[in-house]
Amino acid sequence: MSTTERPRILVVGGGYVGLYAARRILKKMRYGEATVTVVDPRSYMTYQPFLPEAAAGSISPRHVVVPLRRVLPKAEVLTGRVTTIDQDRKVATVAPLVGEAYELPFDYLVVALGAVSRTFPIPGLAEQGIGMKGIEEAIGLRNHVLEQLDKADSTTDEEVRRKALTFVFVGGGFAGAETIGEVEDLARDAAKYYSNVTREDMRFVLVDVADKILPEVGPKLGTWGKEHLEGRGVEIYLKTGMDSCVDGHVVLNNGLEVDSNTIVWTAGVKPNPALARYGLPLGPRGHVDTSEKLQVQGTDYIWAAGDNAQVPDIAARKAGVENAWCPPNAQHALRQAKVLGDNVMSGMRGFPQKDYSHANKGAVAGLGLHKGVAMIVLGKMKIKFKGRLAWYMHRGYHGMAMPTWNRKIRVFADWTLAMFLKREVVSLGAMETPREEFYEAAKPAPAAAAAQPAQEKAKAS
Protein backbone atom coordinates (compact mmCIF):
# COMPACT_ATOMS: atom_id res chain seq x y z
CA MET A 1 0.00 0.00 0.00
CA SER A 2 1.24 3.46 -0.88
CA THR A 3 2.57 5.70 1.87
CA THR A 4 2.93 8.72 -0.39
CA GLU A 5 1.90 12.16 0.85
CA ARG A 6 -0.02 12.87 -2.34
CA PRO A 7 -3.75 13.52 -1.80
CA ARG A 8 -5.76 10.32 -1.92
CA ILE A 9 -8.99 9.93 -3.88
CA LEU A 10 -10.80 7.01 -2.27
CA VAL A 11 -13.35 5.23 -4.46
CA VAL A 12 -15.63 3.01 -2.37
CA GLY A 13 -17.00 0.34 -4.71
CA GLY A 14 -15.63 -1.16 -7.90
CA GLY A 15 -18.87 -1.56 -9.83
CA TYR A 16 -19.92 0.29 -12.96
CA VAL A 17 -19.67 3.78 -11.45
CA GLY A 18 -16.56 3.04 -9.38
CA LEU A 19 -14.67 1.56 -12.33
CA TYR A 20 -15.59 4.27 -14.84
CA ALA A 21 -15.10 7.12 -12.36
CA ALA A 22 -11.63 5.83 -11.42
CA ARG A 23 -10.69 5.44 -15.10
CA ARG A 24 -11.87 8.96 -15.84
CA ILE A 25 -9.94 10.42 -12.91
CA LEU A 26 -6.75 8.58 -13.88
CA LYS A 27 -7.14 9.77 -17.47
CA LYS A 28 -7.56 13.43 -16.43
CA MET A 29 -4.95 13.39 -13.68
CA ARG A 30 -1.45 14.74 -14.13
CA TYR A 31 1.46 12.51 -13.17
CA GLY A 32 1.86 12.39 -9.38
CA GLU A 33 -1.11 14.67 -8.77
CA ALA A 34 -2.99 12.21 -6.54
CA THR A 35 -3.31 8.58 -5.50
CA VAL A 36 -6.49 6.78 -6.59
CA THR A 37 -7.52 3.92 -4.29
CA VAL A 38 -10.43 1.61 -5.13
CA VAL A 39 -11.88 -0.64 -2.41
CA ASP A 40 -14.29 -3.46 -3.20
CA PRO A 41 -14.89 -6.94 -1.76
CA ARG A 42 -14.52 -8.34 -5.28
CA SER A 43 -11.51 -7.80 -7.50
CA TYR A 44 -13.70 -7.40 -10.57
CA MET A 45 -16.62 -5.40 -11.90
CA THR A 46 -19.74 -7.25 -13.11
CA TYR A 47 -21.72 -6.01 -16.12
CA GLN A 48 -25.14 -6.85 -14.73
CA PRO A 49 -27.24 -6.46 -17.93
CA PHE A 50 -25.48 -9.58 -19.25
CA LEU A 51 -26.28 -11.79 -16.25
CA PRO A 52 -29.39 -13.35 -17.87
CA GLU A 53 -27.36 -14.30 -20.96
CA ALA A 54 -24.61 -15.71 -18.73
CA ALA A 55 -27.25 -17.78 -16.92
CA ALA A 56 -28.46 -19.10 -20.28
CA GLY A 57 -24.94 -19.91 -21.47
CA SER A 58 -24.96 -17.37 -24.33
CA ILE A 59 -21.91 -15.59 -22.86
CA SER A 60 -19.00 -17.09 -20.95
CA PRO A 61 -19.18 -15.99 -17.29
CA ARG A 62 -15.58 -14.70 -17.35
CA HIS A 63 -16.46 -12.35 -20.20
CA VAL A 64 -19.16 -10.64 -18.13
CA VAL A 65 -16.67 -9.43 -15.52
CA VAL A 66 -13.83 -6.92 -15.79
CA PRO A 67 -10.72 -7.37 -13.56
CA LEU A 68 -10.12 -4.12 -11.70
CA ARG A 69 -6.34 -4.44 -11.41
CA ARG A 70 -5.97 -5.01 -15.14
CA VAL A 71 -8.18 -2.08 -16.12
CA LEU A 72 -6.83 0.27 -13.41
CA PRO A 73 -3.08 -0.45 -13.42
CA LYS A 74 -2.22 3.01 -12.05
CA ALA A 75 -4.61 2.75 -9.10
CA GLU A 76 -4.39 0.99 -5.75
CA VAL A 77 -7.00 -1.77 -5.70
CA LEU A 78 -7.77 -3.12 -2.24
CA THR A 79 -9.95 -6.20 -1.84
CA GLY A 80 -12.09 -5.55 1.21
CA ARG A 81 -14.98 -3.48 2.57
CA VAL A 82 -15.13 0.07 3.86
CA THR A 83 -17.07 -0.45 7.08
CA THR A 84 -17.13 3.10 8.47
CA ILE A 85 -16.13 6.62 7.48
CA ASP A 86 -14.99 9.32 9.90
CA GLN A 87 -15.71 12.55 8.04
CA ASP A 88 -14.14 14.80 10.68
CA ARG A 89 -10.79 13.01 10.43
CA LYS A 90 -11.22 12.01 6.77
CA VAL A 91 -10.44 8.41 7.57
CA ALA A 92 -12.09 5.23 6.30
CA THR A 93 -11.96 1.88 8.10
CA VAL A 94 -11.16 -0.95 5.70
CA ALA A 95 -11.89 -4.58 6.57
CA PRO A 96 -9.76 -6.77 4.24
CA LEU A 97 -10.70 -10.31 3.26
CA VAL A 98 -8.23 -11.62 5.86
CA GLY A 99 -6.57 -9.97 8.81
CA GLU A 100 -7.54 -7.07 11.02
CA ALA A 101 -9.27 -3.90 9.88
CA TYR A 102 -7.16 -0.78 9.42
CA GLU A 103 -7.66 2.92 8.87
CA LEU A 104 -7.09 4.55 5.50
CA PRO A 105 -6.84 8.36 5.29
CA PHE A 106 -8.31 10.14 2.27
CA ASP A 107 -8.73 13.66 0.94
CA TYR A 108 -11.55 13.10 -1.55
CA LEU A 109 -14.23 10.42 -1.45
CA VAL A 110 -16.35 8.76 -4.15
CA VAL A 111 -19.23 6.61 -2.90
CA ALA A 112 -20.19 3.99 -5.51
CA LEU A 113 -21.43 1.01 -3.50
CA GLY A 114 -24.31 0.29 -5.87
CA ALA A 115 -27.37 -1.65 -4.78
CA VAL A 116 -28.34 -5.02 -3.34
CA SER A 117 -31.44 -7.16 -3.84
CA ARG A 118 -34.54 -5.71 -2.22
CA THR A 119 -36.07 -8.47 -0.14
CA PHE A 120 -38.92 -8.82 2.33
CA PRO A 121 -39.36 -11.00 5.45
CA ILE A 122 -41.05 -13.80 3.54
CA PRO A 123 -40.80 -17.20 5.28
CA GLY A 124 -38.37 -19.45 3.41
CA LEU A 125 -37.04 -16.78 1.03
CA ALA A 126 -33.55 -16.55 2.56
CA GLU A 127 -33.16 -20.35 2.43
CA GLN A 128 -34.75 -21.03 -0.97
CA GLY A 129 -34.34 -17.86 -3.04
CA ILE A 130 -31.80 -17.30 -5.80
CA GLY A 131 -30.81 -13.71 -6.60
CA MET A 132 -29.51 -12.23 -9.86
CA LYS A 133 -27.12 -9.50 -8.79
CA GLY A 134 -23.78 -11.23 -9.31
CA ILE A 135 -22.07 -13.52 -11.78
CA GLU A 136 -21.86 -16.21 -9.09
CA GLU A 137 -25.65 -16.25 -8.85
CA ALA A 138 -26.03 -16.42 -12.64
CA ILE A 139 -23.66 -19.40 -12.87
CA GLY A 140 -25.37 -21.04 -9.90
CA LEU A 141 -28.81 -20.58 -11.49
CA ARG A 142 -27.67 -22.15 -14.76
CA ASN A 143 -26.16 -25.17 -13.01
CA HIS A 144 -29.18 -25.47 -10.76
CA VAL A 145 -31.70 -25.46 -13.63
CA LEU A 146 -29.80 -28.11 -15.56
CA GLU A 147 -29.49 -30.21 -12.38
CA GLN A 148 -33.27 -30.09 -12.03
CA LEU A 149 -33.62 -31.55 -15.51
CA ASP A 150 -31.13 -34.28 -14.55
CA LYS A 151 -33.22 -35.09 -11.46
CA ALA A 152 -36.49 -35.16 -13.38
CA ASP A 153 -35.06 -37.37 -16.09
CA SER A 154 -33.70 -39.99 -13.69
CA THR A 155 -36.42 -40.25 -11.02
CA THR A 156 -39.59 -42.34 -10.94
CA ASP A 157 -41.11 -40.26 -8.13
CA GLU A 158 -43.73 -38.03 -9.75
CA GLU A 159 -43.75 -35.56 -6.87
CA VAL A 160 -39.96 -35.10 -7.03
CA ARG A 161 -40.18 -34.73 -10.80
CA ARG A 162 -42.94 -32.11 -10.65
CA LYS A 163 -41.07 -30.06 -8.05
CA ALA A 164 -37.84 -30.20 -10.09
CA LEU A 165 -39.57 -29.02 -13.28
CA THR A 166 -41.40 -26.06 -11.71
CA PHE A 167 -39.57 -22.72 -11.92
CA VAL A 168 -40.87 -19.65 -10.09
CA PHE A 169 -39.61 -16.12 -10.79
CA VAL A 170 -40.65 -13.19 -8.59
CA GLY A 171 -40.31 -9.75 -10.19
CA GLY A 172 -41.32 -8.67 -13.69
CA GLY A 173 -38.91 -5.81 -14.36
CA PHE A 174 -35.91 -6.03 -16.68
CA ALA A 175 -34.07 -8.57 -14.52
CA GLY A 176 -37.05 -10.87 -14.01
CA ALA A 177 -38.45 -10.82 -17.54
CA GLU A 178 -35.05 -11.18 -19.18
CA THR A 179 -33.97 -13.98 -16.83
CA ILE A 180 -37.12 -16.05 -17.25
CA GLY A 181 -36.96 -15.54 -21.02
CA GLU A 182 -33.34 -16.71 -21.20
CA VAL A 183 -33.79 -19.61 -18.76
CA GLU A 184 -36.91 -20.84 -20.55
CA ASP A 185 -34.90 -20.82 -23.78
CA LEU A 186 -32.11 -22.77 -22.08
CA ALA A 187 -34.49 -25.36 -20.63
CA ARG A 188 -36.31 -25.75 -23.95
CA ASP A 189 -33.02 -26.43 -25.77
CA ALA A 190 -31.73 -28.74 -23.05
CA ALA A 191 -34.92 -30.84 -23.03
CA LYS A 192 -34.04 -32.10 -26.53
CA TYR A 193 -31.26 -34.18 -24.99
CA TYR A 194 -33.39 -35.84 -22.30
CA SER A 195 -35.46 -38.93 -23.04
CA ASN A 196 -37.93 -38.40 -20.19
CA VAL A 197 -38.23 -34.58 -20.11
CA THR A 198 -40.06 -32.32 -22.57
CA ARG A 199 -40.87 -28.62 -22.49
CA GLU A 200 -44.51 -29.55 -21.84
CA ASP A 201 -43.44 -31.20 -18.58
CA MET A 202 -42.01 -27.92 -17.28
CA ARG A 203 -43.87 -25.13 -15.54
CA PHE A 204 -42.60 -21.54 -15.56
CA VAL A 205 -44.32 -19.01 -13.29
CA LEU A 206 -43.67 -15.24 -13.23
CA VAL A 207 -45.13 -13.20 -10.36
CA ASP A 208 -45.20 -9.43 -9.84
CA VAL A 209 -47.09 -7.14 -7.48
CA ALA A 210 -47.42 -4.52 -10.25
CA ASP A 211 -50.12 -4.56 -12.92
CA LYS A 212 -47.63 -4.96 -15.78
CA ILE A 213 -44.19 -6.32 -16.63
CA LEU A 214 -41.27 -4.49 -18.25
CA PRO A 215 -42.48 -1.03 -17.16
CA GLU A 216 -39.19 0.46 -18.41
CA VAL A 217 -40.21 0.06 -22.09
CA GLY A 218 -43.73 1.41 -21.77
CA PRO A 219 -47.20 -0.17 -21.54
CA LYS A 220 -47.54 -1.31 -25.17
CA LEU A 221 -44.23 -3.15 -25.34
CA GLY A 222 -44.80 -4.44 -21.81
CA THR A 223 -48.10 -5.93 -22.94
CA TRP A 224 -46.43 -7.46 -26.00
CA GLY A 225 -43.70 -8.92 -23.80
CA LYS A 226 -46.31 -10.44 -21.50
CA GLU A 227 -48.23 -11.98 -24.41
CA HIS A 228 -44.98 -13.23 -25.94
CA LEU A 229 -43.90 -15.01 -22.74
CA GLU A 230 -47.39 -16.44 -22.25
CA GLY A 231 -47.24 -17.75 -25.80
CA ARG A 232 -44.11 -19.66 -24.78
CA GLY A 233 -45.99 -21.30 -21.90
CA VAL A 234 -45.00 -18.94 -19.07
CA GLU A 235 -47.73 -18.37 -16.47
CA ILE A 236 -47.80 -14.70 -15.47
CA TYR A 237 -49.64 -13.49 -12.37
CA LEU A 238 -49.82 -9.71 -11.91
CA LYS A 239 -50.95 -7.80 -8.83
CA THR A 240 -49.74 -10.87 -6.98
CA GLY A 241 -47.16 -11.38 -4.24
CA MET A 242 -45.53 -14.37 -2.60
CA ASP A 243 -46.56 -15.07 1.00
CA SER A 244 -44.11 -17.89 1.74
CA CYS A 245 -41.82 -20.47 0.13
CA VAL A 246 -40.78 -22.70 3.04
CA ASP A 247 -39.05 -25.87 1.78
CA GLY A 248 -39.94 -24.87 -1.77
CA HIS A 249 -43.70 -24.78 -1.15
CA VAL A 250 -44.63 -21.49 -2.82
CA VAL A 251 -47.80 -19.79 -1.61
CA LEU A 252 -49.03 -16.78 -3.60
CA ASN A 253 -51.55 -14.31 -2.24
CA ASN A 254 -53.92 -15.06 -5.12
CA GLY A 255 -54.46 -18.56 -3.70
CA LEU A 256 -52.08 -20.44 -6.00
CA GLU A 257 -49.74 -22.95 -4.35
CA VAL A 258 -46.92 -24.80 -6.14
CA ASP A 259 -43.90 -26.83 -5.11
CA SER A 260 -40.62 -25.76 -6.69
CA ASN A 261 -36.90 -26.28 -6.20
CA THR A 262 -36.19 -23.07 -8.15
CA ILE A 263 -37.30 -19.70 -6.78
CA VAL A 264 -35.57 -16.76 -8.47
CA TRP A 265 -35.96 -13.38 -6.73
CA THR A 266 -35.63 -10.29 -8.95
CA ALA A 267 -38.12 -8.00 -7.21
CA GLY A 268 -36.10 -4.81 -7.38
CA VAL A 269 -33.04 -3.40 -5.64
CA LYS A 270 -32.26 -1.11 -2.73
CA PRO A 271 -29.17 0.99 -1.86
CA ASN A 272 -26.36 -0.87 -0.16
CA PRO A 273 -27.21 -0.91 3.58
CA ALA A 274 -23.57 -0.10 4.43
CA LEU A 275 -24.38 3.53 3.55
CA ALA A 276 -26.16 3.88 6.89
CA ARG A 277 -22.78 3.59 8.66
CA TYR A 278 -21.06 6.34 6.66
CA GLY A 279 -22.77 9.32 8.27
CA LEU A 280 -23.91 10.71 4.92
CA PRO A 281 -27.23 12.50 4.27
CA LEU A 282 -29.67 9.90 2.95
CA GLY A 283 -32.94 10.25 1.05
CA PRO A 284 -36.23 8.61 2.08
CA ARG A 285 -35.30 5.30 0.41
CA GLY A 286 -31.75 5.15 1.74
CA HIS A 287 -29.90 6.71 -1.21
CA VAL A 288 -27.10 9.23 -0.72
CA ASP A 289 -28.57 12.70 -1.27
CA THR A 290 -26.57 14.50 -3.97
CA SER A 291 -26.75 17.76 -5.85
CA GLU A 292 -26.91 18.15 -9.63
CA LYS A 293 -23.11 18.11 -9.59
CA LEU A 294 -23.15 14.63 -8.00
CA GLN A 295 -21.65 16.14 -4.84
CA VAL A 296 -23.06 14.88 -1.56
CA GLN A 297 -25.24 17.54 0.02
CA GLY A 298 -23.42 19.59 2.65
CA THR A 299 -19.91 18.49 1.61
CA ASP A 300 -17.26 19.75 -0.78
CA TYR A 301 -15.08 16.64 -0.96
CA ILE A 302 -17.55 13.72 -1.31
CA TRP A 303 -19.31 12.60 -4.51
CA ALA A 304 -21.78 9.80 -5.19
CA ALA A 305 -23.52 8.35 -8.24
CA GLY A 306 -25.19 5.23 -9.58
CA ASP A 307 -27.65 2.97 -7.81
CA ASN A 308 -26.67 4.16 -4.33
CA ALA A 309 -27.28 7.86 -5.09
CA GLN A 310 -30.34 10.07 -5.28
CA VAL A 311 -29.42 12.21 -8.29
CA PRO A 312 -31.80 14.94 -9.51
CA ASP A 313 -32.99 14.27 -13.08
CA ILE A 314 -32.55 17.73 -14.58
CA ALA A 315 -33.82 16.70 -18.03
CA ALA A 316 -37.05 15.29 -16.62
CA ARG A 317 -37.59 18.30 -14.37
CA LYS A 318 -37.18 20.65 -17.32
CA ALA A 319 -39.89 18.62 -19.05
CA GLY A 320 -42.23 19.34 -16.14
CA VAL A 321 -41.79 16.26 -13.95
CA GLU A 322 -41.50 17.43 -10.35
CA ASN A 323 -39.06 15.78 -7.94
CA ALA A 324 -37.72 13.50 -10.67
CA TRP A 325 -34.68 11.36 -9.85
CA CYS A 326 -32.43 9.46 -12.22
CA PRO A 327 -33.50 5.79 -12.44
CA PRO A 328 -30.96 3.10 -11.48
CA ASN A 329 -29.84 1.80 -14.87
CA ALA A 330 -26.62 1.36 -16.85
CA GLN A 331 -27.48 4.29 -19.13
CA HIS A 332 -27.28 6.79 -16.26
CA ALA A 333 -24.49 5.01 -14.39
CA LEU A 334 -22.09 5.26 -17.34
CA ARG A 335 -22.73 8.95 -17.93
CA GLN A 336 -22.79 9.87 -14.25
CA ALA A 337 -19.43 8.20 -13.73
CA LYS A 338 -17.79 10.34 -16.40
CA VAL A 339 -19.24 13.58 -15.04
CA LEU A 340 -18.32 12.53 -11.51
CA GLY A 341 -14.72 11.86 -12.53
CA ASP A 342 -14.48 15.27 -14.17
CA ASN A 343 -16.04 16.97 -11.14
CA VAL A 344 -13.64 15.30 -8.71
CA MET A 345 -10.71 16.68 -10.67
CA SER A 346 -12.34 20.11 -10.94
CA GLY A 347 -13.10 20.13 -7.23
CA MET A 348 -9.55 19.13 -6.38
CA ARG A 349 -8.14 21.88 -8.60
CA GLY A 350 -10.62 24.53 -7.48
CA PHE A 351 -12.43 24.83 -10.83
CA PRO A 352 -16.23 25.03 -11.37
CA GLN A 353 -18.03 21.69 -11.60
CA LYS A 354 -20.61 20.57 -14.16
CA ASP A 355 -24.24 19.60 -13.60
CA TYR A 356 -25.26 16.10 -14.60
CA SER A 357 -28.07 16.13 -17.15
CA HIS A 358 -29.06 13.34 -19.47
CA ALA A 359 -32.37 12.81 -21.26
CA ASN A 360 -33.60 9.24 -21.46
CA LYS A 361 -32.58 7.65 -24.76
CA GLY A 362 -34.84 4.62 -24.38
CA ALA A 363 -34.51 1.05 -23.17
CA VAL A 364 -33.80 -2.38 -24.63
CA ALA A 365 -34.45 -5.87 -23.25
CA GLY A 366 -33.77 -9.41 -24.46
CA LEU A 367 -36.31 -12.16 -23.83
CA GLY A 368 -34.27 -15.07 -25.09
CA LEU A 369 -32.58 -15.95 -28.35
CA HIS A 370 -33.84 -13.73 -31.21
CA LYS A 371 -36.57 -12.22 -29.01
CA GLY A 372 -36.66 -8.79 -27.43
CA VAL A 373 -38.27 -5.36 -27.04
CA ALA A 374 -36.77 -1.91 -27.54
CA MET A 375 -37.91 1.68 -27.18
CA ILE A 376 -35.78 4.44 -28.67
CA VAL A 377 -36.45 8.08 -27.71
CA LEU A 378 -35.71 10.69 -30.39
CA GLY A 379 -36.75 14.08 -29.10
CA LYS A 380 -40.47 13.80 -28.38
CA MET A 381 -40.83 10.65 -30.46
CA LYS A 382 -40.75 7.14 -29.01
CA ILE A 383 -40.00 4.47 -31.59
CA LYS A 384 -40.88 0.94 -30.53
CA PHE A 385 -39.41 -2.33 -31.79
CA LYS A 386 -40.13 -5.94 -30.93
CA GLY A 387 -38.93 -9.38 -31.92
CA ARG A 388 -35.66 -10.12 -33.68
CA LEU A 389 -34.79 -6.51 -34.58
CA ALA A 390 -35.24 -5.40 -30.95
CA TRP A 391 -33.05 -8.31 -29.86
CA TYR A 392 -30.28 -7.16 -32.22
CA MET A 393 -30.60 -3.64 -30.78
CA HIS A 394 -30.39 -5.05 -27.24
CA ARG A 395 -27.20 -6.95 -28.04
CA GLY A 396 -25.69 -4.09 -30.01
CA TYR A 397 -26.26 -1.50 -27.29
CA HIS A 398 -25.05 -3.59 -24.39
CA GLY A 399 -22.21 -5.10 -26.40
CA MET A 400 -20.80 -1.65 -27.04
CA ALA A 401 -21.54 -0.49 -23.46
CA MET A 402 -19.47 -3.37 -22.06
CA PRO A 403 -16.31 -1.87 -20.50
CA THR A 404 -12.98 -2.32 -22.34
CA TRP A 405 -12.40 -3.54 -25.88
CA ASN A 406 -10.99 -6.75 -24.48
CA ARG A 407 -14.39 -7.70 -23.05
CA LYS A 408 -16.35 -6.31 -26.03
CA ILE A 409 -14.40 -8.56 -28.41
CA ARG A 410 -14.82 -11.61 -26.19
CA VAL A 411 -18.58 -11.06 -25.87
CA PHE A 412 -19.07 -10.58 -29.62
CA ALA A 413 -16.91 -13.67 -30.22
CA ASP A 414 -19.21 -15.70 -27.94
CA TRP A 415 -22.23 -14.51 -29.90
CA THR A 416 -20.58 -15.22 -33.25
CA LEU A 417 -19.62 -18.77 -32.27
CA ALA A 418 -23.16 -19.38 -31.02
CA MET A 419 -24.43 -18.75 -34.57
CA PHE A 420 -22.64 -21.89 -35.75
CA LEU A 421 -22.41 -24.08 -32.65
CA LYS A 422 -25.19 -25.48 -30.48
CA ARG A 423 -25.77 -24.19 -26.96
CA GLU A 424 -23.84 -26.00 -24.22
CA VAL A 425 -26.24 -27.72 -21.80
CA VAL A 426 -23.78 -29.28 -19.36
CA SER A 427 -24.19 -28.63 -15.63
CA LEU A 428 -21.08 -28.00 -13.54
CA GLY A 429 -22.83 -27.93 -10.19
CA ALA A 430 -19.94 -29.81 -8.56
CA MET A 431 -17.85 -26.62 -8.97
CA GLU A 432 -19.65 -25.23 -5.92
CA THR A 433 -18.11 -28.02 -3.77
CA PRO A 434 -14.89 -28.86 -5.65
CA ARG A 435 -13.18 -30.60 -2.71
CA GLU A 436 -16.03 -32.96 -1.86
CA GLU A 437 -14.86 -35.87 -4.01
CA PHE A 438 -11.25 -35.56 -2.81
CA TYR A 439 -12.42 -35.34 0.79
CA GLU A 440 -14.41 -38.55 0.43
CA ALA A 441 -11.32 -40.30 -0.93
CA ALA A 442 -8.91 -38.91 1.66
CA LYS A 443 -10.91 -39.02 4.89
CA PRO A 444 -9.99 -41.72 7.46
CA ALA A 445 -11.65 -45.09 7.21
CA PRO A 446 -14.69 -45.63 9.46
CA ALA A 447 -14.03 -47.00 12.96
CA ALA A 448 -15.92 -50.20 12.20
CA ALA A 449 -13.56 -51.06 9.34
CA ALA A 450 -10.52 -50.35 11.51
CA ALA A 451 -11.82 -52.65 14.25
CA GLN A 452 -12.43 -55.58 11.91
CA PRO A 453 -8.82 -57.03 11.95
CA ALA A 454 -8.85 -57.01 15.76
CA GLN A 455 -12.12 -58.95 15.82
CA GLU A 456 -10.77 -61.55 13.37
CA LYS A 457 -7.63 -61.96 15.55
CA ALA A 458 -9.77 -62.55 18.63
CA LYS A 459 -11.79 -65.26 16.86
CA ALA A 460 -8.60 -67.02 15.73
CA SER A 461 -7.30 -67.20 19.29
Side-chain angles (χ1 to χ4, degrees):
M1 204 181 324
S2 174
T3 58
T4 178
E5 294 182 358
R6 292 179 294 180
R8 172 178 274 116
I9 302 170
L10 176 60
V11 181
V12 182
Y16 213 108
V17 170
L19 171 66
Y20 267 100
R23 288 184 74 188
R24 188 76 169 187
I25 292 169
L26 290 167
K27 181 180 178 181
K28 297 282 184 175
M29 195 169 61
R30 294 188 292 267
Y31 177 77
E33 188 174 4
T35 298
V36 177
T37 302
V38 180
V39 181
D40 194 276
R42 293 182 174 88
S43 60
Y44 53 84
M45 169 271 202
T46 303
Y47 189 68
Q48 294 181 351
F50 279 155
L51 291 181
E53 290 206 41
S58 299
I59 302 176
S60 170
R62 286 185 176 85
H63 301 166
V64 180
V65 299
V66 179
L68 296 177
R69 289 183 173 86
R70 180 172 181 174
V71 179
L72 303 171
K74 297 181 180 179
E76 290 181 338
V77 177
L78 306 179
T79 306
R81 299 178 185 275
V82 172
T83 56
T84 59
I85 292 175
D86 187 332
Q87 295 185 45
D88 294 332
R89 298 168 53 220
K90 289 190 177 182
V91 168
T93 302
V94 178
L97 290 183
V98 293
E100 297 182 357
Y102 56 87
E103 291 189 340
L104 185 70
F106 64 85
D107 298 274
Y108 305 93
L109 180 65
V110 174
V111 181
L113 282 178
V116 299
S117 294
R118 181 184 61 190
T119 58
F120 302 98
I122 298 174
L125 178 60
E127 295 78 14
Q128 302 293 324
I130 302 172
M132 276 295 287
K133 285 290 294 175
I135 189 62
E136 302 86 358
E137 292 172 317
I139 298 170
L141 176 60
R142 171 181 168 77
N143 290 332
H144 176 82
V145 168
L146 293 176
E147 283 176 0
Q148 301 314 303
L149 302 188
D150 291 340
K151 290 180 182 179
D153 187 61
S154 58
T155 186
T156 57
D157 188 321
E158 190 58 34
E159 184 178 342
V160 172
R161 175 183 169 85
R162 189 183 307 112
K163 191 173 183 179
L165 295 179
T166 301
F167 307 94
V168 178
F169 292 72
V170 183
F174 268 168
E178 288 187 311
T179 303
I180 197 171
E182 293 286 357
V183 170
E184 192 275 338
D185 247 7
L186 168 68
R188 183 186 295 271
D189 280 353
K192 300 173 185 176
Y193 303 98
Y194 291 87
S195 56
N196 299 319
V197 176
T198 66
R199 172 60 183 89
E200 289 70 30
D201 297 327
M202 305 177 204
R203 186 178 186 184
F204 283 84
V205 178
L206 178 62
V207 181
D208 199 298
V209 294
D211 59 355
K212 56 183 175 292
I213 68 169
L214 292 169
E216 300 90 344
V217 295
K220 289 186 177 180
L221 287 179
T223 300
W224 183 88
K226 177 177 179 292
E227 294 172 351
H228 168 78
L229 290 174
E230 289 175 332
R232 290 163 57 182
V234 177
E235 302 173 36
I236 299 179
Y237 299 97
L238 301 178
K239 298 181 181 179
T240 303
M242 184 171 69
D243 287 340
S244 70
C245 57
V246 177
D247 295 328
H249 182 68
V250 178
V251 179
L252 305 182
N253 59 16
N254 65 354
L256 179 67
E257 297 187 23
V258 298
D259 289 317
S260 172
N261 288 335
T262 310
I263 302 167
V264 183
W265 183 268
T266 58
V269 297
K270 63 181 179 181
N272 195 309
L275 294 172
R277 301 192 298 269
Y278 289 1
L280 302 173
L282 303 180
R285 294 177 298 163
H287 299 80
V288 180
D289 190 12
T290 72
S291 68
E292 294 85 352
K293 294 176 172 55
L294 304 176
Q295 202 157 34
V296 175
Q297 298 285 9
T299 72
D300 60 0
Y301 62 95
I302 306 177
W303 292 261
D307 293 357
N308 70 180
Q310 178 178 276
V311 180
D313 191 339
I314 295 178
R317 294 185 182 190
K318 286 181 179 178
V321 182
E322 295 183 3
N323 296 323
W325 309 99
C326 296
N329 57 35
Q331 184 180 153
H332 280 289
L334 172 61
R335 290 167 174 82
Q336 286 175 3
K338 292 181 178 179
V339 174
L340 186 151
D342 290 344
N343 283 353
V344 169
M345 296 308 301
S346 296
M348 186 170 68
R349 295 168 178 170
F351 297 150
Q353 301 180 37
K354 298 185 296 184
D355 289 347
Y356 171 75
S357 178
H358 171 68
N360 180 31
K361 299 299 183 184
V364 291
L367 298 174
L369 205 59
H370 304 146
K371 300 170 279 284
V373 292
M375 178 186 68
I376 307 302
V377 179
L378 296 175
K380 295 184 178 180
M381 285 197 318
K382 293 183 178 179
I383 306 173
K384 300 177 177 64
F385 303 89
K386 55 191 177 183
R388 185 182 287 260
L389 179 57
W391 176 76
Y392 283 129
M393 297 173 72
H394 158 75
R395 283 200 160 182
Y397 172 78
H398 285 299
M400 293 309 297
M402 184 73 191
T404 78
W405 279 102
N406 179 297
R407 286 305 186 262
K408 292 187 208 300
I409 293 170
R410 291 177 186 272
V411 166
F412 279 102
D414 284 343
W415 288 338
T416 303
L417 289 173
M419 296 169 60
F420 305 100
L421 304 175
K422 292 183 179 180
R423 189 199 304 258
E424 288 287 350
V425 292
V426 62
S427 169
L428 297 176
M431 290 177 61
E432 297 173 15
T433 55
R435 295 191 63 254
E436 184 174 355
E437 186 173 347
F438 180 81
Y439 173 76
E440 289 295 327
K443 69 180 182 181
Q452 188 174 359
Q455 293 172 357
E456 293 177 355
K457 184 176 180 181
K459 288 181 181 179
S461 61

